Amino acid sequence: PEPKKFSIGLKDIDEAVQYYFENVLQLRVYQNNDTILVPVIYGLPEKWVSVQQDGYYRDVNQKIMSPLIMFKRASITQNRTLGNKVDGNKAHNVQLFEKSYTRGNAYDNFHVLQNQKLQKEFAVVVTPDYVTVEYDVIIWTNYLEQMNKLIEALNFASNSYWGDPNAFKFLTKMESFTDAQSYVYGEDRIVKTNFKMTLNGYLIPDIS
């Protein structure tokens, strides 16, 4: 069978962020004598526009969701300070490395006595496109104290590698958080904070 093509796309980077939020950080708030896991959702365009207009997010039952974290990819910038890729039009832009040691070649002279030739193994490494990806993130909580705890946890997680340890991990940074703003919608009170997240990623397109 034809070997599976290896690629890393923008979806993989988004999923790495989602994975880290849900499986590593597992942010929680304390409310009504109970600990609540904060849901994390990706801000699809229609959801994000609605949130910008209304200031909050409603579930399928039209109830304001809080606590909640929503994130959206805001921009992608090429990072030419990393890597040595020259021509983006060459789909097969790879580097070839000879392995200095393999299982078939032990560190001895047994092959000389047996008049055997050493086996050579090579590794083909695709040169990725390094990119800087920025995300816009919004946090909603019911109380300012809950918001403070979440910001403290996120600030602590900055400058670390986010993602699934069995897949891809990317260096992620958070530099500033807006001051938490309190709003009242009818009988609902909500606290909202915005911040930007910067991720150093890389792309390997799925090209023949």
Side-chain angles (χ1 to χ4, degrees):
E2 183 180 353
K4 183 179 180 180
K5 298 175 183 177
F6 178 79
S7 64
I8 302 175
L10 293 172
K11 183 180 178 182
D12 295 304
I13 295 177
D14 293 341
E15 289 176 348
V17 175
Q18 184 90 29
Y19 178 93
Y20 200 84
F21 269 124
E22 294 180 342
N23 298 280
V24 179
L25 290 179
Q26 296 185 341
L27 298 172
R28 291 176 165 82
V29 297
Y30 187 73
Q31 183 173 316
N32 298 329
N33 298 321
D34 195 11
T35 300
I36 303 173
L37 182 66
V38 181
V40 180
I41 60 175
Y42 185 83
L44 296 173
E46 61 274 14
K47 293 181 181 179
W48 195 261
V49 171
S50 175
V51 161
Q52 298 303 310
Q53 293 174 346
D54 300 334
Y56 52 83
Y57 178 74
R58 293 185 181 274
D59 61 14
V60 293
N61 297 318
Q62 296 302 305
K63 179 181 178 181
I64 293 178
M65 290 190 64
S66 178
L68 176 68
I69 295 176
M70 179 182 287
F71 72 100
K72 179 186 75 72
R73 189 181 343 115
S75 66
I76 308 161
T77 307
Q78 293 181 341
N79 186 349
R80 291 308 186 196
T81 62
L82 297 175
N84 57 357
K85 186 170 184 177
V86 177
D87 189 352
N89 294 318
K90 293 183 179 179
H92 298 286
N93 194 355
V94 298
Q95 298 180 51
L96 186 66
F97 299 94
E98 182 179 353
K99 295 183 179 181
S100 59
Y101 173 75
T102 67
R103 291 183 178 180
N105 301 331
Y107 287 113
D108 56 34
N109 290 324
F110 183 75
H111 67 283
V112 177
L113 299 176
Q114 298 296 319
N115 195 25
Q116 295 177 345
K117 291 184 179 180
L118 288 176
Q119 298 177 359
K120 290 187 177 182
E121 290 188 11
F122 297 88
V124 179
V125 180
V126 178
T127 304
D129 281 321
Y130 293 95
V131 293
T132 300
V133 184
E134 285 196 348
Y135 290 92
D136 290 329
V137 188
I138 306 176
I139 310 175
W140 292 273
T141 61
N142 295 315
Y143 304 102
L144 182 59
E145 183 179 0
Q146 295 174 337
M147 182 66 70
N148 290 340
K149 295 295 184 182
L150 294 182
I151 292 176
E152 290 166 5
L154 286 166
N155 188 64
F156 187 80
S158 181
N159 291 290
S160 57
Y161 285 86
W162 287 35
D164 184 347
N166 297 316
F168 312 110
K169 301 183 74 174
F170 308 96
L171 181 62
T172 305
K173 302 178 182 179
M174 289 159 281
E175 296 183 356
S176 63
F177 297 82
T178 62
D179 289 336
Q181 300 293 324
S182 181
Y183 302 91
V184 177
Y185 302 100
E187 299 180 354
D188 297 309
R189 180 179 297 274
I190 195 169
V191 181
K192 176 183 174 183
T193 293
N194 297 69
F195 69 94
K196 288 188 177 295
M197 192 163 62
T198 302
L199 181 148
N200 292 334
Y202 41 89
L203 300 174
I204 299 177
D206 184 5
I207 305 176
S208 300

